[in-house]
Amino acid sequence: MVVAAIKNGIAILVLLVLQLELFSSLRFFGVMPELLLAAAIAAGWYGGPIGGAVVGFSSGLFYDLYLATPLGLNALTYAIVGYLLGQIATFLSDEAEWIIRITISVVAVTIGLLLFVTFGELIAEPNLYNRSFGKILVVASLYTGLLMVPIHYMMAWAFDATRLFSSGFDRRLR
Amino acid sequence: MAVPRRYSGSRFTLAILVLTSVTLISLDARGYAPVDNLKKAGIIIVQPFRSLTRIVFDPVGDAWESLTNGDELERENALLRTQLDELLDYRIANEGAVNDLAALRTQLDLQGLGGHDTVVAEVTAGSVSNFDPYVLEINKGTQSGIREGMPVISTGGLIGRIENPGLRDSRVRLVTDPTVNIGVLAIGTKEIGILTGNGVDQPMRVVDGIPISAAVEVGSILVTSGLDRSPYPEGFAVGSVVEVIPDEVNLEKELLVEPTGEMNNLDFVTVILYQPPGMD
């Protein structure tokens, strides 16, 4: 339990620093990937609904420190997305092909961004729903999808999931 | 056949996390000081890791920018060459403008940076969010005398104001943000309007306040008005008018304005240590 928490902390810190220092510059069409949302999604996959929700909350909270939006907005969104992915993943085989995982992850990123903007609009946060929203949704989802494989590996390591098949992991929590 | 696993207590965990998030959002939106301090403490904890990785990733970011903006730089170069040729052609005709500018500066009592103390800060990062591209991060904070709302300038004029300053870093909210409003005065006239940001790469707008008969034309320079309750000192260039749209119904002019301050590829900015009267 403690080891998993430390590993997840390291994974979140690495992804946060990459998001802030590397991918904020490496933009496609002015859009960057959502690595911390991806971490919540992958955590849901390997850690189940609880793991997804807790990692999503933590990663969102750390990301919130650097944003002008209220503290907790990303945490709320990522926790819900991590939880939902955890629920969905319980119905999927451990041997699910990568293409299935990536597709589900990309859809989850899109849902996460939609949720984030919806919650933001509900509390009257400015700038979230803007004329670039469609572009952000499409590019961020696809760009994050490109990076999902290493993030899946990272979160599989954090949750101590071992690789059983060429296509999948044994997600039983140890 | 996959057998669904059961995770007992997952709904309860989610409910606790959602409640915590909503509480934090509510407290932060109300400006509850401990939450603000929590944010600053979190930033300080992560800062050493950011500084370390910045050494490695800064060159990568620069290389990416030169790679992705190569065509744009070529276009900009060609445009600048054309503009230079035009400027050389019209230099003699416009020599009188230098004298006019000196006269206008005298008229507006503009001397240097208005006699205010300044702090030069390094731009450490641009926006780190997809949804809020109107911010910069700088490496100076309250330790250097920077306070909330202080104006920030770069080459050419005002670019934003300080938001949420930390001990050793601050965020700059750019004037292009649609939520930013600035009281401006058109140089050479007494016309005052409210300039509003209009998004990235979009001209800012002055929708109200300029009568249709006013002598504000394309090329007019707008400066901060510094009127009562304005958070900005007077006389800092904000933008130049690029289009005038007459509104025959309201007998006003709508102005489209390009910012004069450089906002792209900034390395350093200057913070004016100015606080409006009553906020000291």
Side-chain angles (χ1 to χ4, degrees), chain A residues 6 12 49 75 99 104 118 146 158:
Chain A
I6 292 170
I12 291 171
I99 188 71
I104 291 172
T118 307
L146 284 176

Side-chain angles (χ1 to χ4, degrees), chain A residues 34 37 41 104-114 140-141 144 148:
Chain A
E34 298 282 348
L37 178 55
I41 290 163
I104 291 172
S105 301
V106 168
V107 172
V109 173
T110 311
I111 291 168
L113 293 173
L114 280 168
S141 301
T144 311
M148 273 320 291

Side-chain angles (χ1 to χ4, degrees), chain A residues 1 19 27 46 50 64 67 75 81 83 92 95 98 110 142 155:
Chain A
M1 183 76 175
Q19 176 90 44
R27 291 171 181 251
Y46 299 104
I50 296 175
D64 276 327
L67 304 180
V81 173
Y83 174 84
L92 292 171
E95 300 166 56
W98 273 110
T110 311
L142 294 176
M155 298 318 291

Side-chain angles (χ1 to χ4, degrees), chain A residues 17 21 25-27 32 34 49 53 57 63 65-68 70-71 83 90 117 126-128 131 136 171, chain B residues 4-5 7 11 17 21 24-25 28 43 46 50 53-54 64 127-131 171 173 177 179 198:
Chain A
V17 170
E21 295 298 332
S25 307
L26 302 188
R27 291 171 181 251
M32 59 183 186
E34 298 282 348
F57 177 82
Y63 195 22
L65 297 175
Y66 295 91
L67 304 180
L71 187 74
Y83 174 84
T90 56
V117 172
N127 291 339
L128 296 183
R131 71 182 121 226
I136 292 170
R171 288 176 287 154
Chain B
R5 279 172 284 266
Y7 293 89
R11 283 184 195 167
L17 294 176
S21 305
L24 283 172
I25 291 169
D28 196 23
I43 289 171
V46 179
R50 288 189 74 184
T53 49
R54 195 171 289 154
W64 176 262
S127 167
V128 292
S129 164
N130 277 323
F131 293 98
R171 189 184 293 146
R173 172 71 46 192
D177 186 330
T179 63
N198 198 24

Side-chain angles (χ1 to χ4, degrees), chain B residues 133-162:
Chain B
Y134 314 107
V135 290
L136 296 174
E137 284 181 30
I138 59 172
N139 70 341
K140 295 279 171 67
T142 51
Q143 206 173 43
S144 306
I146 291 174
R147 297 288 179 271
E148 179 83 25
M150 286 182 167
V152 180
I153 61 168
S154 71
T155 313
L158 184 81
I159 59 163
R161 16 181 340 203
I162 295 293

Side-chain angles (χ1 to χ4, degrees), chain A residues 96-152:
Chain A
E97 294 289 340
W98 273 110
I99 188 71
I100 296 170
R101 292 166 200 230
I102 304 302
T103 307
I104 291 172
S105 301
V106 168
V107 172
V109 173
T110 311
I111 291 168
L113 293 173
L114 280 168
L115 268 181
F116 175 70
V117 172
T118 307
F119 290 147
E121 287 295 317
L122 284 175
I123 58 167
E125 265 301 301
N127 291 339
L128 296 183
Y129 183 74
N130 55 43
R131 71 182 121 226
S132 304
F133 180 61
K135 180 182 82 174
I136 292 170
L137 210 59
V138 173
V139 179
S141 301
L142 294 176
Y143 195 178
T144 311
L146 284 176
L147 301 165
M148 273 320 291
V149 173
I151 293 170
H152 266 273

